[in-house]
Structure formats: structure tokens, C-alpha cells
Amino acid sequence: MLLPRDLLLLPWRRATAAGEAIARRLNHHRAPPFSDPDDDPPFTRLAERPPRAPSKKKKKEEEDQGGRIRPPEPASSDLPFDFRYSYSETDPAWRPIGFREPTRFSPFGPGRLDRPWDGVAAAAARGEGAGAAATSREEVLGEPLAEEEVAQLVERYRHSDCSRQINLGKGGVTHNMIDDIHNHWKRAEAVRIKCLGVPTLDMDNICFHLECTIVQDKTGGKVIYCNINILILYRGRNYDPKQRPQIPLMLWKPLAPIYPRLVQNVADGLTFEKTKELRNTGLNSSPLMKLTRNGVYVNVVDRVREAFKTVEVVRLDCSHVGSSDCKKIGVKLRDLVPCVPLLFKDEQIILWRGKLSGIWSCLKELPVLHEMKTLLYLSAEH
């Protein structure tokens, strides 16, 4: 026999259930006059707003595009030089033997530049733009600065607390640095450039690439001050920021290509035994000088040239400089001294003066020859 549910409930349970039902009905029809501040009131649902109607400008753009999103047109530049990551630290005559990334990946971004990237540079269209660029540079520079004007500019921008400063590192004169120079020239007559690292081995090369030449018009300015590793680049009397060249920026640094081996197993003109002997001699000799990381190397070339007048092999201590910078230093010294790099080991550079030993001996004997010539001249007079 089945009993009703109300009879199955205990008396105290029936009373509780009845009280809950009455409380629910009262709370539904009547709200309490005062609410407890500790209670969390229920959230009120907001009415959904109707979607906004598209603006007329957006409608027009969609109609022009045919209802499809099209990528922006690639930037076009009429600057008469090839775009490279670094202008002062690379030579167009160097031919790489391989690449570390596919050449289809342009550092300017996909479809952002109308120049193809070949892994090293984005070549410019060959035309008759170099002469016009050189003419426009002369017009922008205007009349030469007087000595008083140069002294005022140097005094204003040569100090270390100058706000118009650009740091030039081991990358040298990079592509994006040209845009930074024009950004400073927008509000200042000149910009202070502080050079550190490998490029300081050849400061004339940095000035050459910063200034405009007949073939390459990069910044269009003029170096009015050069002291050790500090440069001041003047923009010109007639410089107009609104007429500055539009320079597409590189979005990332491209990987360096693979070039032929710098150090050969056997040096030119020597046997394997003689090359090995010179390397051991260089490793066991005392270092000519110690180079620091991102230091100033403006006197290294002269020191190596002076050392080659008396010794045949020179060692440079490049501890904590890095293997990559060591090789870059060796390449520059090979062309500037000139000399032959024999070994790069444990951040030590071994340089050999090469087949020019006769020339170095002549340079060593120049003071003696000059004294003999002076004595003969004096004796002839008497």
C-alpha cells in the first residue's frame, strides 16, 4: 500500500517545507523595505544594443575593394643606392658562397617593397638618378659654414649629455640608422654619433658612408667634427624635413651570408711547416695589445704597422670580445695594414706581415737614410 508523500514526511520536516514555500511566495510578491549591506544584489541584465550602422567611409572602401580585403601596395623608393643591412661593414665586391636563410624572405617584410631581395641587398633600378642626387645635396648644404658657426655647433653637440645622439655599434652604418638621422634632423641642426666596436678601426670609412658621394646619396649631410670616436653630422642650411627621403625600414636583421674561409691551412708563399711554426711563434709571444668588447680601436692599425717594422708575427689578445668580432677585426686589419691573418684561436688573433717584409725593412731604414742624406747635404755645402 502506497502512502501519500505528505504522510511519509516527519512532522518537523513537514513544517519546514511549508514554511519555505510560504517564504518563497512572500519574497516573490513583496520586496523587503531595507536590504542588508552584506548581501550581494542580483545582477540586472542590460538590454542588448543594436549593432551600429557602418560609416559612409567604410562603405565606400568596401565598394572600392569589391567587398574583399586587399593587401597594401608595396612601397616604391627612388633612392639611387642598393638597400643593405650595413653599408660600412660590407663590401659589394664580396660574393657569398651560401646563405643561412632562403633569399625569398626579405627583411623589409613580405610585399612591402618593390625591390627584390637577393640575400645581401635590395638592388636599385639603374638609371640617371645619381647626378640629380648629388646636385640636390649641394643645394641642401648651401653655403659653407664659417669657423664661428662650426665652433658653435661643435660646442653644442660634442658633450656626452647631448640629447641628439646616435650610438653606432658593430653593425656600422646600418639601413635603419639613416632614418634615425633624419628623425633627429627634424628638430636639430646636427646629430652626435658615438662609434664603438669594430667600425672604429676605420673612422674614415664611417665618414665616407655617412656623407653623400656622387654614386650613393645616403644621408646628405656633412661631418663637421671628428675626434677619436665622436662625430657630428650637420644637416645643411637649406634642409627641409618635409622634403626628406622616404626610407622603408627593415623589420628584422637578416642573417649574415656565408663567405669563403678567411684563414687558409697554408699561407700563400709558405709551406705547411713554416705556417705552423709562425702560428706557434705568435701564440707563445706576448700580446701587442688587449682589445675589449665594444671598445675604441682607432689606434690599432698604427700599432700593428709599427710592430711589423721589428717583428714578423703579432698577437692581439681579444678576450671576451667574441669570435665573430675577432674575425671582423682580422678582416679589417688584413685590408688596412695590410697583413695576413694566420690563426683565430681562443679569441687570439695571430697576424703575419706577409711577403711585404722588404717594404717593412725599408720603412724601418727610412730614418737612417734621411740622416745619411742630411749629412751628405751638409758636407757638400762645406
Side-chain angles (χ1 to χ4, degrees), residues 12 56 60 76 87 100 110 123-124 139 160 176 179 181 190 196 211 239 247 251 256 263 272 282 298 330 342 377:
W12 61 272
K56 296 180 179 180
K60 187 176 180 181
S76 178
Y87 297 102
R100 293 182 172 88
E139 295 176 355
S160 59
N176 290 355
D179 187 72
I181 291 174
L196 294 174
E211 292 183 339
Y239 179 82
I247 302 172
L251 303 184
V263 178
F272 179 77
V298 292
L342 288 181
Y377 178 75

Side-chain angles (χ1 to χ4, degrees), residues 61 64 106 131 155 157 222 248 276 285 323 352 354 368:
E61 291 179 356
D64 296 341
S106 173
E155 183 62 27
Y157 294 102
K222 183 179 181 181
K276 186 177 180 180
S285 63
S323 59
W352 174 50
V368 180

Side-chain angles (χ1 to χ4, degrees), residues 72-127:
E73 296 293 331
S76 178
S77 178
D78 56 350
L79 294 176
F81 60 90
D82 299 345
F83 292 162
R84 297 174 173 270
Y85 172 73
S86 176
Y87 297 102
S88 61
E89 304 308 303
T90 58
D91 190 351
W94 298 345
R95 298 300 178 186
I97 60 176
F99 300 96
R100 293 182 172 88
E101 62 181 356
T103 57
R104 65 177 182 274
F105 296 146
S106 173
F108 296 94
R112 296 185 70 251
L113 186 65
D114 60 349
R115 299 186 182 185
W117 178 259
D118 61 0
V120 179
R126 303 304 174 188

Side-chain angles (χ1 to χ4, degrees), residues 199-211 226 231:
T200 57
L201 285 168
D202 190 3
M203 293 298 295
D204 294 336
N205 183 43
I206 297 177
C207 297
F208 172 79
H209 286 282
L210 285 176
E211 292 183 339
C226 179
L231 303 175

Side-chain angles (χ1 to χ4, degrees), residues 275-348:
T275 304
K276 186 177 180 180
E277 180 185 352
L278 290 175
R279 288 171 179 165
N280 293 332
T281 303
L283 288 174
N284 296 327
S285 63
S286 59
L288 176 65
M289 57 191 309
K290 184 175 181 179
L291 305 182
T292 58
R293 186 176 182 85
N294 292 331
V296 181
Y297 311 143
V298 292
N299 62 338
V300 174
V301 177
D302 295 335
R303 291 282 301 275
V304 173
R305 286 176 180 171
E306 289 293 329
F308 277 155
K309 295 179 181 179
T310 56
V311 297
E312 191 176 8
V313 181
V314 167
R315 177 166 75 97
L316 298 178
D317 185 4
C318 301
S319 302
H320 311 293
V321 171
S323 59
S324 177
D325 286 0
C326 283
K327 294 179 181 178
K328 293 179 181 178
I329 292 172
V331 171
K332 281 188 171 289
L333 292 178
R334 179 193 64 182
D335 300 332
L336 295 174
V337 173
C339 59
V340 179
L342 288 181
L343 184 64
F344 295 94
K345 183 180 179 181
D346 299 333
E347 295 184 344
Q348 305 293 317

Side-chain angles (χ1 to χ4, degrees), residues 129-379:
T135 305
S136 62
R137 175 182 180 268
E138 297 299 332
E139 295 176 355
V140 170
L141 288 178
E143 299 179 0
L145 293 174
E147 295 182 0
E148 294 79 8
E149 295 174 328
V150 173
Q152 293 177 0
L153 289 174
V154 169
E155 183 62 27
R156 187 188 307 173
Y157 294 102
R158 72 180 179 86
H159 300 285
S160 59
D161 58 349
C162 176
S163 60
R164 301 298 174 186
Q165 174 175 311
I166 295 178
N167 296 325
L168 188 146
K170 61 181 180 180
V173 181
T174 59
H175 180 78
N176 290 355
M177 181 181 172
I178 302 174
D179 187 72
D180 295 338
I181 291 174
H182 284 284
N183 291 337
H184 281 286
W185 279 349
K186 186 177 180 180
R187 296 177 176 86
E189 292 183 276
V191 59
R192 182 179 188 263
I193 300 176
K194 183 178 180 180
C195 308
L196 294 174
V198 181
T200 57
L201 285 168
D202 190 3
M203 293 298 295
D204 294 336
N205 183 43
I206 297 177
C207 297
F208 172 79
H209 286 282
L210 285 176
E211 292 183 339
C212 168
T213 61
I214 298 177
V215 180
Q216 298 175 340
D217 184 10
K218 293 185 176 64
T219 60
K222 183 179 181 181
V223 177
I224 60 175
Y225 177 79
C226 179
N227 183 24
I228 307 177
N229 66 322
I230 303 298
L231 303 175
I232 295 180
L233 191 62
Y234 176 62
R235 68 181 184 181
R237 293 183 183 272
N238 305 324
Y239 179 82
D240 186 7
K242 297 181 180 179
Q243 302 296 329
R244 56 173 288 183
Q246 298 299 324
I247 302 172
L249 299 179
M250 283 190 176
L251 303 184
W252 64 82
K253 177 183 177 180
L255 296 180
I258 302 173
Y259 291 100
R261 189 173 180 178
L262 177 61
V263 178
Q264 304 298 327
N265 292 330
V266 180
D268 294 338
L270 297 179
T271 60
F272 179 77
E273 290 76 12
K274 183 62 176 177
T275 304
K276 186 177 180 180
E277 180 185 352
L278 290 175
R279 288 171 179 165
N280 293 332
T281 303
L283 288 174
N284 296 327
S285 63
S286 59
L288 176 65
M289 57 191 309
K290 184 175 181 179
L291 305 182
T292 58
R293 186 176 182 85
N294 292 331
V296 181
Y297 311 143
V298 292
N299 62 338
V300 174
V301 177
D302 295 335
R303 291 282 301 275
V304 173
R305 286 176 180 171
E306 289 293 329
F308 277 155
K309 295 179 181 179
T310 56
V311 297
E312 191 176 8
V313 181
V314 167
R315 177 166 75 97
L316 298 178
D317 185 4
C318 301
S319 302
H320 311 293
V321 171
S323 59
S324 177
D325 286 0
C326 283
K327 294 179 181 178
K328 293 179 181 178
I329 292 172
V331 171
K332 281 188 171 289
L333 292 178
R334 179 193 64 182
D335 300 332
L336 295 174
V337 173
C339 59
V340 179
L342 288 181
L343 184 64
F344 295 94
K345 183 180 179 181
D346 299 333
E347 295 184 344
Q348 305 293 317
I349 303 177
I350 308 301
L351 302 174
W352 174 50
R353 64 184 179 185
K355 297 179 181 180
L356 302 177
S357 57
I359 297 178
W360 292 115
S361 60
C362 291
L363 292 176
K364 180 181 177 180
E365 295 173 359
L366 279 178
V368 180
L369 295 176
H370 181 69
E371 292 179 1
M372 292 176 61
K373 185 178 179 181
T374 305
L375 292 175
L376 290 174
Y377 178 75
L378 293 175
S379 61

